[in-house]
Amino acid sequence: MIKLNREPEPQYMVDNKATWLKNLKDAIASYGSYKTIPEKEKQKLISHYRNEHVRCALIKSSYGKCAFCECIPSEGGNVEVEHFKPKSIYPELTFEWNNFLPSCRKCNGSKDSHDTGIEPIINPYDIDPKDVFYFEDIEIKAVESSLKESADKTIEVCGLNTVRLWKPRAEILVSLRIFSRAIDEALEEIKNADTERKKANRIKKLREAVETIETLTYPGEKYSSFCRDFLEKSQVYHNAKRLLEYA
Ligand SMILES: [Zn+2]
C-alpha cells in the first residue's frame, strides 16, 4: 500500500449525486430500510456511481493499481469502485467522492461489508501506509503505533497476507536479491579496480544497477511499497548510494 492523493471530484458526480441520493433515500423511506429495497430496484438506484468518470479519476490517483494490495487489476479483471464505508451500512455515502477507493476484485470481495466506522482500517488517501506497515520477508506487518490495531485489521480484512500476495512478493524478492548481488559485485570490482578508467567503468555499471533496482520502488510499479521497504533495509544498497554520491 502506498500514499495516494485524491483527484478532484468528477463534475458528473457533483452535478448528479444529490438527485441520485434523494432517489435512494426516498426508496429507503418507502421500503423501511436499505436492506429491504428489492434487489433489482436497489441496483438501479445505486449503480450510478459505477461510471467512467469515477473509474478514470480513481485509476489515475492510484496509478492503475489496487489501493490496498497494489496489484494491477487490469491484468486479471477491472479496478472496482470500492466504498470505504460500505454503502449497505452507510447508504448516505453511496455517492460520496471521499468514500471511494479503487480496488481489485479480491480486496473488494475480501473487505465486503466490513464496518470501517466501527473497526477502522487504513485509508491510503488519508494515512501514509509507510508509517503503519512494514515487511518481514514476504509478510506485511503492522508497525507498533497508535494505528497498529487499524493496520492489523486492514491486513486481516483485505487479506494482505494471503498466498495470492505472497507469490508475487516472493518473485520480486528473488529479483531484488539478484539486483543486490549485482550491486555487491560491482562494489567489490570498484574496490579492486587498478586503473582510473576501470574504476570509472565499474562505477557506471554500479549506477545502472542501482537505477534499475530503484525503478521497482516507483509508485506506478506493482507492489512498490514492498520494494521500497526492501531497499530501505538493504545495507548493500545504502553502501552503493554512498559510494555513488562521492564518485
Ligand atoms: Zn487488491
Side-chain angles (χ1 to χ4, degrees):
M1 213 187 279
I2 56 168
K3 178 76 177 73
L4 305 178
N5 297 306
R6 283 187 185 92
E7 288 287 311
E9 181 171 11
Q11 194 57 41
Y12 183 69
M13 292 303 292
V14 177
D15 292 345
N16 293 292
K17 66 177 178 184
T19 310
W20 296 334
L21 186 60
K22 185 187 176 302
N23 293 341
L24 179 62
K25 279 183 169 172
D26 286 350
I28 291 170
S30 143
Y31 288 102
S33 74
Y34 178 87
K35 285 185 177 66
T36 45
I37 304 172
E39 198 49 38
K40 210 171 162 189
E41 193 174 336
K42 192 192 292 172
Q43 284 307 319
K44 204 173 159 197
L45 285 163
I46 64 172
S47 64
H48 303 293
Y49 74 84
R50 287 187 223 109
N51 62 68
E52 277 314 295
H53 306 274
V54 165
R55 274 174 40 81
C56 285
L58 290 179
I59 288 170
K60 191 177 170 202
S61 74
S62 72
Y63 310 88
K65 300 192 291 186
C66 169
F68 295 113
C69 75
E70 279 195 85
C71 77
I72 298 182
S74 56
E75 289 180 348
N78 291 320
V79 170
E80 299 187 349
V81 180
E82 143 80 9
H83 288 81
F84 188 71
K85 285 190 171 172
K87 56 189 178 308
S88 55
I89 306 170
Y90 305 91
E92 70 278 12
L93 300 178
T94 302
F95 308 109
E96 187 53 51
W97 179 240
N98 288 349
N99 194 38
F100 294 160
L101 278 160
S103 168
C104 73
R105 183 158 295 176
K106 290 274 166 56
C107 287
N108 197 0
S110 176
K111 184 174 162 290
D112 195 26
S113 55
H114 171 76
D115 190 347
T116 50
I118 291 177
E119 290 183 303
I121 66 168
I122 303 298
N123 186 330
Y125 283 124
D126 301 326
I127 293 162
D128 192 339
K130 83 168 156 33
D131 297 334
V132 290
F133 296 110
Y134 69 100
F135 290 90
E136 210 172 87
D137 195 35
I138 54 172
E139 282 207 37
I140 189 166
K141 304 231 165 161
V143 171
E144 287 294 339
S145 74
S146 56
L147 290 168
K148 187 175 187 304
E149 209 175 314
S150 303
D152 274 329
K153 193 48 83 179
T154 313
I155 295 169
E156 179 199 323
V157 163
C158 297
L160 301 182
N161 264 338
T162 49
V163 175
R164 77 167 166 112
L165 293 166
W166 281 350
K167 277 185 179 169
R169 283 180 204 148
E171 266 176 43
I172 290 172
L173 192 57
V174 171
S175 303
L176 288 165
R177 293 253 162 91
I178 291 169
F179 282 130
S180 295
R181 184 187 284 175
I183 288 172
D184 207 16
E185 283 169 3
L187 281 167
E188 197 57 30
E189 282 173 11
I190 290 165
K191 214 164 71 185
N192 298 329
D194 49 13
T195 66
E196 279 306 306
R197 190 185 159 81
K198 270 188 199 167
K199 193 178 171 191
N201 276 335
R202 287 167 186 180
I203 286 173
K204 186 168 166 265
K205 195 174 140 192
L206 175 68
R207 199 180 298 279
E208 283 167 3
V210 166
E211 280 169 6
T212 306
I213 202 170
E214 282 176 342
T215 60
L216 298 175
T217 69
Y218 294 173
E221 294 293 321
K222 287 186 286 184
Y223 314 110
S224 60
S225 59
F226 177 70
C227 301
R228 194 205 55 234
D229 187 87
F230 176 91
L231 282 199
E232 276 174 5
K233 291 175 191 156
S234 164
Q235 198 51 52
V236 173
Y237 171 72
H238 290 299
N239 290 346
K241 287 297 273 186
R242 212 168 302 126
L243 190 147
L244 289 173
E245 212 175 299
Y246 298 108

